[in-house]
Amino acid sequence: MGAMGVAQVQAALDQLQLGTDIIEFDSSTATAQQAADNVGCQLGQIVKSLGFMINKTRPVLVLTSGDQSIDERKLAALFGVGRKRARMMNAEQCLALLGYAPGGVPPIAHRGGGFSVYLDDSLKRYETVYAAGGGANAIFPVRLSVLQEVTRGTFADLARA
């Protein structure tokens, strides 16, 4: 199964009628710092889309600020499991379940469905954030309230203290 890309994310943005376009850069936006440098925004305004597996069988997508790391203990606690039962997806799992390679995972337009989405409370510092657009050089701006609505995500305190 090949990776999905920018076209699928833009189609989803259009279908959701968000009125936003993906911006493609000549340089990489695969890391939060690279994305912030390209956009000219604060590091925290970059949305990192991180896939996790709970108990090796339940995929979860966590959206967090670019200047934060996820505390796997907090994530595991949401599901009532031990810390070692919440693990970041590997590249193969990202491709198979989400449809994208790490560094380009968007918050929408995934291959699979039916998984929970959580937005870390750290994102609440910003009205507008920038999320990956399905490629290692593609991002799009979106209001945080709209991102929460279209992902049907739940806010939670998941950042490492």
Side-chain angles (χ1 to χ4, degrees), residues 96-126:
L97 299 169
L98 302 175
Y100 303 87
V105 176
I108 60 170
H110 303 113
R111 174 172 286 139
F115 49 84
S116 303
V117 176
Y118 289 91
L119 294 91
D120 182 61
D121 287 339
S122 63
L123 288 166
K124 290 180 178 178
R125 298 173 287 169
Y126 306 102

Side-chain angles (χ1 to χ4, degrees), residues 17-103:
Q17 299 179 343
L18 298 189
T20 191
D21 290 320
I22 293 174
I23 305 162
E24 293 187 74
F25 293 92
D26 292 332
S27 56
S28 179
T29 58
T31 70
Q33 188 62 62
Q34 290 170 329
D37 290 346
N38 274 300
V39 174
C41 69
Q42 293 179 41
L43 181 58
Q45 284 181 276
I46 301 299
V47 177
K48 294 194 293 191
S49 300
L50 306 172
F52 285 86
M53 295 299 292
I54 307 299
N55 276 337
K56 298 182 181 179
T57 59
R58 183 174 184 180
V60 173
L61 185 65
V62 177
L63 309 178
T64 191
S65 288
D67 60 356
Q68 301 295 312
S69 297
I70 294 302
D71 186 334
E72 292 174 352
R73 287 176 297 222
K74 290 180 180 180
L75 181 61
L78 278 180
F79 294 92
V81 299
R83 178 185 61 82
K84 293 186 179 193
R85 295 289 184 180
R87 288 285 179 223
M88 191 171 281
M89 287 181 185
N90 62 36
E92 284 180 13
Q93 290 168 321
C94 272
L95 277 172
L97 299 169
L98 302 175
Y100 303 87

